[in-house]
Amino acid sequence: MKRQSGKMTFMSLIAIAILAIGGYMAFQYIGSNLEKKQIKKEVFDTLGSTRGGDRDDAALMAVIEEILLKRDNEILHIAARLEGGVIRYSFSYRMVTNFLFFKRDEVIEVTDQIENYG
């Protein structure tokens, strides 16, 4: 028994490999959820800082498109309308997360509104 102290066995090597792969998958899962929230917040903040009476629907859609392209996501749908004093916008995109052994393909849809000034 004294001879085996400090040596790695085959089962302990497999256990370490499983823990490492599980940690990587958990990191990717948490990262993808944070990225979804970050994109939604970034669109809301950017529209909030660029809103005004001189903006039209095409300019609002260009702002949303720029943010989605910066994150390398496939854009499925973008719509933005200025109705009275409210900007109503919606967009959807496809996000692919690589989990080492498989990829998760997810479609995210966001619908929101923000007050407009001007």
Side-chain angles (χ1 to χ4, degrees):
M1 192 59 116
K2 200 73 161 148
R3 246 180 12 178
Q4 291 250 339
S5 123
K7 293 184 179 177
M8 180 179 275
T9 63
F10 183 69
M11 289 304 289
S12 64
L13 178 67
I14 290 176
I16 288 174
I18 290 172
L19 283 173
I21 292 170
Y24 176 77
M25 292 174 120
F27 178 76
Q28 289 293 91
Y29 179 76
I30 292 169
S32 68
N33 285 337
L34 289 175
E35 184 175 356
K36 286 189 287 190
K37 292 177 185 177
Q38 181 64 30
I39 289 173
K40 183 177 178 180
K41 287 179 184 178
E42 189 173 348
V43 168
F44 186 83
D45 291 343
T46 306
L47 286 177
S49 65
T50 61
R51 62 187 164 180
D54 59 338
R55 293 287 177 176
D56 61 340
D57 295 349
L60 297 172
M61 289 172 39
V63 168
I64 297 171
E65 183 178 6
E66 179 184 335
I67 293 169
L68 291 175
L69 288 176
K70 183 173 63 173
R71 301 282 184 151
D72 293 330
N73 291 317
E74 179 186 348
I75 300 170
L76 301 176
H77 164 31
I78 298 175
R81 291 188 324 262
L82 180 60
E83 296 176 347
V86 177
I87 299 171
R88 298 183 196 281
Y89 63 93
S90 65
F91 59 93
S92 62
Y93 59 94
R94 183 181 316 274
M95 188 165 79
V96 178
T97 307
N98 186 5
F99 284 107
L100 197 62
F101 295 121
F102 62 94
K103 291 184 179 183
R104 186 171 102 185
D105 190 15
E106 188 175 8
V107 175
I108 294 96
E109 298 177 4
V110 177
T111 303
D112 206 353
Q113 66 183 20
I114 187 171
E115 296 292 324
N116 189 33
Y117 300 126

